[in-house]
C-alpha cells in the first residue's frame, strides 16, 4: 500500500502536519486546535450540515465547513475571528428557535447536551429570531429508548450511525425544509419497526436529548459519571463496555471505543439487556426457599454431599470466567460427572476449540462472507453488524446457509436452507464467490451436523477452485459466552442434559448457573429434565437471578453478576479480556469461584 502524501497547513498561525485526504478538522484536532462541531462524529462520513465548524481559508471569500473540507497543502486557515463567531452564533440561535429546546425538562440538561454546551460557550442568552414552537411527536414505543423530535437538530448523526455502523439504515429524514423530520423505516415507530435491532448506537450518537435511553433518563449526567471499562459476557464476541455509574449504580452502558473487538459498538444484549430489564436478584443464601446464612447453607451442602462420588454431579453454564473454569476443573475429581450445558450441536464446536485472531476486523474487510449454521443477528449482534456493513458499504457478497430464516437474509445474494441445497443453487454459489480475494466463513453450531459438514467441505472446495486458491478465513461462532475457553480448561460439553442426568442415579447435583439472565430456567425446558431433577435428593443452584430452577433447589447460593466480577474471559478471537467490578457486590452474593472453593476445595 502506498503511504499517503504528507501535507502541511497553517492553522491560526501554527504549522500543522497532516496527510493528503484528511479534512481541515481532522488535522486541527490532531494538532490540539479546537473547532466547535455538532453534526461531525469521528468514524462517520462527514455531512457538513450544521455549519458550526466553519473556518476561513486564505484566498477564499466564503467560509467552509472544516469537517467536510479536505485540507490542501500550504493553505492558511483561520478557525476563530469575529466573523466566524458571529456566524456560529446565528446558526445556534436558528437551531434553538426552530424546535422546543426546553432544557429543564430534558434528560441531557446541565452538561450532556452538545447544543446546550455550544450555546453556553458562545454566550447565547437570548434568541433574536421568533420561536417556531412546532408541535412535534415523541415516540416512546421502543423498549429501551425513545425520540423526542422537539429536541432534534437534524444533524443526521443517528442516521449515519445506523447506516454505517449497525448497517441497517432504519433511520432517515422525511419531508423538506422546516418539515424535515427523522423517520423510522417508512415512517413508523421504533416499537413497530421491523429493521431496528435496538442496538442503541443512534442514541449514543445523538448530541442532544432527542434520542434518549429510557433507563438512563434522569439518573444523572453521563458526563460526570464514573466510567469503568469491562467486558460483555453475553456472547463469545467479548465486546468492550464503558459502564457509567453514579453512587454505586449503573446509569448507562456504552461500548468502549478503544476496544479492538467492537470499537465502541454493542448489540442490544450488551447495551441494554444486562441492566435495563427488571430481574429478581438473589442476595442471600436460601435453604428450601428460606433465607439462611452462608455458614448454614455451606453446612447443609457439605452434609448432603456425603454420598458416593458416583452419585454426585456438577453441571455448569458455559459462561463462567476463566478463573472459575480452572476452579471447576480443579474440583471435578470430587464428582462422578462434571459438564457444561451447551446448545444443540454446540458440543462439537467446543470439542476442538479454535480461535480466530482479529476475526472481527478481518470480517468487515472480507469481500465474500458465508454464514453457515449460525444466527449472528440473534446470538452475536456485533458480528451481524460487521457482516451487514461489509455487504452494504463494501459490496461484499453474502451467502447464508441455515435451516432458519433471519433478518440477515434480506442482505444476502444467496440464502438457502442447509438441508435442501439443489445443484442449480450451487451454480449460483459458485457465481457469487467467483473472484473473491478475502473470503470468510462464519460457522455456528449447526455447521457441525453431517449436512453442515458436507456443505462446509463443498464450499471450501469451491473457494479452492474458484477464488484463485484464497484460503477462507474461518470464524467459529458458538452461542455460549465462554464455552471455548471452558472446553480448553477441560470441562466437557453436554447438549442433552436429560440423558446426562439419567446416565447414573444421582443423589446430589450442583448447578452453576452464575449470572445467566434467565436464572437457569432454560434448563427446565429440556425434555425429561424437570422430572429428573425431582428425583435428586439435594439440588444446589448457584445463581444470580430467581427463576423456576432456583425455586426447585434445596439450597440456593447467590452469585455475583457481570458488573461485580473480577477475572477474565476469552473471546472467539482468543483474546483474554478483563472483567472489572463496576459496582459493589449486591447483598451477600459471592464470586462463582470463591463459592466452589468454599464448598469443595
Ligand atoms: S437502535 Fe440501532 S438499529 Fe435501531 S435505529 Fe438505532 S442505530 Fe438503527
Ligand atoms: S435525533 Fe439526535 S442524532 Fe438524530 S438528527 Fe436529531 S439531533 Fe441528530
Ligand atoms: S455482540 Fe456479544 S459481546 Fe458484544 S455486546 Fe452483543 S452480546 Fe455482548
Ligand atoms: S460539524 Fe461540520 S458542518 Fe457540522
Amino acid at each position: 500500500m502506498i503511504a499517503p502524501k504528507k501535507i502541511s497547513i497553517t492553522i491560526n498561525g501554527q504549522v500543522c502536519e497532516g496527510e493528503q485526504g484528511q479534512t481541515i478538522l481532522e488535522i486541527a484536532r490532531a494538532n490540539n486546535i479546537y473547532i466547535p462541531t455538532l453534526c461531525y462524529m469521528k468514524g462517520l462520513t462527514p455531512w457538513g450540515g450544521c455549519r458550526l465548524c466553519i473556518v476561513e481559508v486564505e484566498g477564499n471569500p466564503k467560509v467552509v465547513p472544516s469537517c467536510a473540507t479536505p485540507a490542501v497543502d500550504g493553505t492558511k486557515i483561520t478557525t476563530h475571528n469575529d466573523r466566524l463567531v458571529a456566524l456560529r452564533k446565528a446558526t445556534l440561535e436558528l437551531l434553538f428557535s426552530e424546535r422546543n429546546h426546553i432544557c429543564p425538562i430534558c434528560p441531557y440538561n446541565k452538561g450532556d447536551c452538545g447544543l446546550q454546551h455550544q450555546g453556553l460557550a458562545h454566550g447565547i442568552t437570548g434568541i433574536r429570531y421568533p420561536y417556531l414552537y412546532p408541535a412535534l411527536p415523541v415516540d416512546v414505543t421502543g423498549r429501551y429508548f425513545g425520540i423526542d423530535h422537539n429536541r432534534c437538530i437534524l444533524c443526521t448523526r443517528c442516521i449515519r450511525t445506523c447506516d454505517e455502523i449497525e448497517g441497517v439504515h432504519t433511520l432517515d429524514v422525511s419531508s423538506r425544509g422546516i418539515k424535515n423530520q427523522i423517520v423510522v423505516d417508512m415512517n413508523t415507530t421504533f416499537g413497530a419497526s421491523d429493521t431496528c435491532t435496538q442496538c442503541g448506537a443512534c442514541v449514543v450518537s445523538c448530541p442532544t436529548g432527542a434520542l434518549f435511553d429510557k433507563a438512563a433518563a434522569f439518573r444523572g449526567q453521563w458526563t460526570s459519571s464514573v466510567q469503568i471499562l469491562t467486558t460483555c459476557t453475553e456472547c463469545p464476541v467479548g465486546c468492550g463496555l464503558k459502564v457509567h455509574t453514579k453512587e454505586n449504580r449503573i446509569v448507562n452502558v456504552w461500548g468502549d471505543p478503544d476496544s479492538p473487538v467492537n470499537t465502541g459498538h454493542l448489540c442490544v444484549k450488551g447495551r441494554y439487556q444486562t441492566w435495563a430489564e427488571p430481574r429478581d436478584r438473589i442476595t442471600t443464601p436460601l435453604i428450601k426457599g428460606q433465607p439462611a446464612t452462608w455458614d448454614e447453607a455451606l453446612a447443609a451442602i457439605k452434609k448432603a454431599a456425603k454420598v458416593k462420588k458416583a452419585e454426585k454431579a456438577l453441571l455448569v453454564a458455559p459462561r463462567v470466567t476463566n478463573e472459575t473454569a480452572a476452579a471447576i476443573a480443579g474440583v471435578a475429581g470430587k464428582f462422578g460427572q462434571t459438564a457444561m450445558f451447551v446448545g444443540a450441536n454446540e458440543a462439537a464446536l467446543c470439542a476442538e476449540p479454535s480461535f480466530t485472531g482479529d476475526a472481527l476486523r478481518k470480517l468487515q474487510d472480507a469481500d465474500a462472507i458465508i454464514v453457515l449454521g449460525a444466527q449472528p443477528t440473534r446470538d452475536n449482534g456485533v458480528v451481524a453488524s460487521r457482516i451487514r456493513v461489509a455487504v452494504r458499504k463494501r459490496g461484499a457478497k453474502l451467502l447464508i446457509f441455515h435451516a432458519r430464516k433471519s433478518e440477515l437474509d434480506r442482505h444476502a445474494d444467496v440464502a438457502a436452507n442447509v438441508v435442501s441445497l439443489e445443484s442449480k443453487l450451487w451454480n449460483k454459489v459458485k457465481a457469487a464467490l467467483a473472484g473473491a480475494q478475502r473470503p470468510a466463513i462464519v460457522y455456528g453450531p449447526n455447521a457441525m451436523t453431517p449436512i453442515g459438514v458436507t456443505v462446509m467441505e463443498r464450499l471450501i472446495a469451491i473457494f479452492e477452485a474458484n477464488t484463485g486458491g484464497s484460503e477462507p478465513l474461518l470464524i467459529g461462532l458458538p452461542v455460549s459466552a465462554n464455552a471455548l475457553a471452558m472446553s480448553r480448561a477441560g470441562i466437557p460439553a453436554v447438549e442433552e442434559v436429560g440423558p446426562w442426568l439419567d446416565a447414573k442415579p444421582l443423589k446430589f447435583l450442583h448447578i452453576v448457573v452464575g449470572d445467566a439472565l434467565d436464572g437457569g430456567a432454560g434448563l427446565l425446558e429440556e425434555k425429561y429434565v424437570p422430572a429428573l431433577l425431582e428425583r435428586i435428593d439435594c439440588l444446589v443452584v448457584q445463581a444470580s437471578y430467581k427463576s423456576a430452577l432456583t425455586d426447585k433447589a434445596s439450597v440456593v447460593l447467590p452469585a455475583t453478576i457481570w458488573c461485580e466480577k473480577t477475572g477474565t474471559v476469552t473471546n472467539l478471537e482468543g483474546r483474554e479480556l478483563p472483567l472489572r467490578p463496576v459496582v459493589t457486590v449486591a447483598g451477600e452474593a459471592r464470586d462463582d469461584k470463591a463459592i466452589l472453593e468454599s464448598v469443595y476445595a
Side-chain angles (χ1 to χ4, degrees):
M1 210 167 79
I2 305 164
K5 192 180 152 205
K6 298 276 176 212
I7 59 169
S8 166
I9 60 174
T10 305
I11 307 178
N12 302 338
Q14 180 184 330
V15 177
C16 301
E17 306 294 334
E19 289 174 353
Q20 199 157 35
Q22 282 187 298
T23 62
I24 296 169
L25 181 70
E26 282 169 336
I27 297 182
R29 287 205 169 174
N31 286 276
N32 296 320
I33 296 171
Y34 174 71
I35 301 173
T37 57
L38 271 176
C39 71
Y40 171 81
M41 193 174 140
K42 196 176 167 194
L44 299 180
T45 307
W47 184 59
C50 76
R51 273 7 209 199
L52 210 65
C53 69
I54 47 171
V55 294
E56 288 180 352
V57 181
E58 195 176 76
N60 183 350
K62 293 182 180 169
V63 295
V64 298
S66 60
C67 70
T69 307
V72 175
D73 194 27
T75 45
K76 293 197 171 99
I77 314 291
T78 302
T79 66
H80 287 80
N81 60 25
D82 289 350
R83 177 192 182 210
L84 288 167
V85 171
L87 285 169
R88 285 180 191 141
K89 277 173 104 161
T91 300
L92 287 164
E93 286 180 56
L94 286 167
L95 285 175
F96 277 114
S97 68
E98 200 173 39
R99 299 234 167 151
N100 306 310
H101 293 282
I102 303 163
C103 299
I105 54 160
C106 176
Y108 273 35
N109 187 25
K110 293 187 183 163
D112 292 345
C113 175
L115 178 65
Q116 189 188 59
H117 168 75
Q118 291 301 344
L120 290 169
H122 285 80
I124 293 174
T125 51
I127 307 294
R128 288 168 286 169
Y129 311 111
Y131 285 102
L132 299 184
Y133 297 123
L136 294 174
V138 181
D139 174 10
V140 287
T141 58
R143 183 160 182 86
Y144 299 110
F145 52 84
I147 183 166
D148 181 346
H149 294 277
N150 296 285
R151 300 181 189 133
C152 174
I153 57 169
L154 294 162
C155 69
T156 76
R157 279 165 55 154
C158 55
I159 297 172
R160 286 173 285 150
T161 300
C162 184
D163 184 40
E164 298 174 18
I165 298 185
E166 180 61 1
V168 291
H169 202 137
T170 294
L171 303 173
D172 216 318
V173 183
S174 73
S175 308
R176 287 172 176 239
I178 203 159
K179 294 203 170 136
N180 267 182
Q181 193 172 303
I182 297 296
V183 280
V184 178
D185 293 337
M186 298 299 281
N187 202 10
T188 182
T189 58
F190 278 121
S193 170
D194 57 6
T195 61
C196 175
T197 62
Q198 304 188 73
C199 72
C202 52
V203 186
V204 177
S205 76
C206 182
T208 71
L211 277 159
F212 58 92
D213 287 319
K214 290 181 176 178
F218 302 109
R219 280 196 165 194
Q221 290 167 269
W222 56 261
T223 26
S224 63
S225 62
V226 176
Q227 296 170 15
I228 299 171
L229 303 180
T230 186
T231 302
C232 176
T233 54
E234 290 306 309
C235 95
V237 176
C239 293
L241 302 176
K242 184 190 269 190
V243 185
H244 299 251
T245 68
K246 259 186 190 273
E247 292 161 7
N248 198 38
R249 67 175 184 167
I250 295 176
V251 294
N252 214 332
V253 175
W254 288 5
D256 172 8
D258 298 321
S259 161
V261 178
N262 57 317
T263 56
H265 193 48
L266 295 176
C267 79
V268 62
K269 289 198 269 184
R271 172 102 162 90
Y272 295 117
Q273 285 178 356
T274 50
W275 68 282
E277 289 282 355
R279 270 182 205 99
D280 243 348
R281 185 74 193 273
I282 304 165
T283 54
T284 175
L286 304 169
I287 299 178
K288 293 197 168 67
Q290 296 306 309
T293 65
W294 270 101
D295 285 346
E296 289 164 345
L298 295 180
I301 296 170
K302 284 178 181 166
K303 188 172 168 206
K306 282 182 184 154
V307 291
K308 288 185 200 138
K309 180 177 156 181
E311 294 167 332
K312 290 192 283 189
L314 177 60
L315 188 62
V316 195
R319 54 181 289 130
V320 300
T321 61
N322 294 339
E323 294 71 18
T324 303
I328 289 164
V331 302
K334 307 205 169 178
F335 297 86
Q337 54 194 54
T338 299
M340 62 171 161
F341 54 95
V342 295
N345 302 316
E346 211 177 356
L349 207 58
C350 300
E352 288 174 33
S354 111
F355 300 90
T356 313
D358 217 7
L360 277 281
R361 191 191 57 75
K362 288 180 186 160
L363 180 61
Q364 192 155 315
D365 207 32
D367 58 0
I369 300 172
I370 290 169
V371 179
L372 176 60
Q375 293 265 53
T377 304
R378 184 193 65 189
D379 301 324
N380 325 84
V382 167
V383 172
S385 64
R386 292 285 192 267
I387 293 173
R388 281 190 297 262
V389 169
V391 172
R392 295 191 57 243
K393 297 290 151 190
R394 304 191 216 296
K397 301 283 184 200
L398 177 61
L399 298 92
I400 299 179
F401 302 101
H402 201 285
R404 288 201 185 133
K405 289 191 187 317
S406 88
E407 165 276 342
L408 266 188
D409 290 1
R410 67 196 168 95
H411 302 282
D413 297 87
V414 177
N417 189 325
V418 78
V419 293
S420 60
L421 289 172
E422 300 157 8
S423 58
K424 65 177 179 201
L425 195 83
W426 282 107
N427 292 336
K428 227 172 151 185
V429 170
K430 280 183 201 160
L433 294 179
Q437 296 297 309
R438 298 179 307 283
I441 300 180
V442 179
Y443 62 98
N446 288 336
M448 297 292 122
T449 57
I451 180 82
V453 171
T454 309
V455 172
M456 174 88 93
E457 285 169 355
R458 199 150 172 190
L459 285 167
I460 290 175
I462 291 175
F463 276 125
E464 280 170 4
N466 272 24
T467 61
S470 319
E471 290 265 317
L473 172 75
L474 293 174
I475 303 175
L477 197 57
V479 176
S480 305
N482 206 23
L484 293 178
M486 289 172 69
S487 175
R488 199 172 54 177
I491 304 168
V494 58
E495 288 170 13
E496 294 190 346
V497 174
W500 183 84
L501 286 176
D502 207 23
K504 289 178 191 160
L506 291 176
K507 290 193 171 157
F508 179 94
L509 173 64
H510 186 144
I511 306 179
V512 180
V513 171
D515 61 353
L517 302 181
D518 71 347
L523 265 180
L524 298 177
E525 285 163 21
E526 286 202 34
K527 219 172 169 186
Y528 313 123
V529 170
L532 288 164
L533 291 182
E534 295 296 336
R535 294 193 339 210
I536 290 169
D537 295 344
C538 180
L539 171 65
V540 177
V541 177
Q542 180 170 322
S544 308
Y545 303 110
K546 286 200 180 98
S547 72
L549 180 69
T550 61
D551 287 348
K552 281 186 176 296
S554 321
V555 182
V556 176
L557 301 175
T560 51
I561 60 171
W562 62 280
C563 54
E564 299 163 349
K565 291 183 186 203
T566 307
T568 58
V569 288
T570 305
N571 82 340
L572 57 88
E573 301 174 310
R575 296 179 201 266
E576 202 166 272
L577 300 163
L579 299 185
R580 299 191 183 92
V582 167
V583 291
T584 53
V585 172
E588 295 177 41
R590 290 185 185 174
D591 176 68
D592 286 319
K593 174 175 179 268
I595 296 174
L596 289 165
E597 287 176 346
S598 62
V599 186
Y600 304 112

